[in-house]
Amino acid sequence: MHELGVVFSVIKQIEGVSAENAVEKVHKVVLELGEVSTVIPDYLTDCWKWAVKRTQILQEAELEIVQIPAVTFCEDCKKEYPTVEFGRTCPYCHSENTYLLRGNEFIIKEIEVE
Ligand SMILES: [Zn+2]
């Protein structure tokens, strides 16, 4: 369970940005989370609720998670396909010469302040 560590690092980044911009209260935070990222959204939300209570500026901050679909690229036929459905094997040419194009992201997309 590394979600708590992830939450702490997000909070730290937001606190840094907030201090620079003289923000006193953060209203909402939007995170972009890749579909095959190792972070589990439900755990993340639970950790978030627990961790923000211990902060000053994020106490009331709501967490919104936007999931990014995972897409894999096939080097042989140059096509893209959904990773979760087909895994490492290209559904078009059955090659395994593929790599993850996106879906592993973890990005702080938006911070809403009051
Ligand atoms: Zn292919």
Side-chain angles (χ1 to χ4, degrees), residues 32-98:
E32 277 188 338
L33 187 63
E35 199 177 13
V36 295
S37 142
T38 55
V39 176
I40 300 159
D42 283 355
Y43 288 168
L44 193 70
T45 306
D46 287 347
C47 293
W48 176 266
K49 284 179 188 157
W50 180 84
V52 290
K53 288 201 180 83
R54 312 176 142 234
T55 70
Q56 286 289 324
I57 55 158
L58 283 146
Q59 262 185 33
E60 322 262 294
E62 183 193 331
L63 178 68
E64 187 184 326
I65 298 170
V66 179
Q67 240 191 15
I68 301 172
V71 175
T72 293
F73 180 76
C74 173
E75 293 257 43
D76 289 340
C77 70
K78 312 287 179 205
K79 282 180 177 154
E80 295 176 10
Y81 65 87
T83 310
V84 171
E85 201 176 343
F86 299 105
R88 287 193 58 87
T89 309
C90 173
Y92 302 104
C93 71
H94 305 291
S95 163
E96 288 193 359
N97 193 13
T98 59

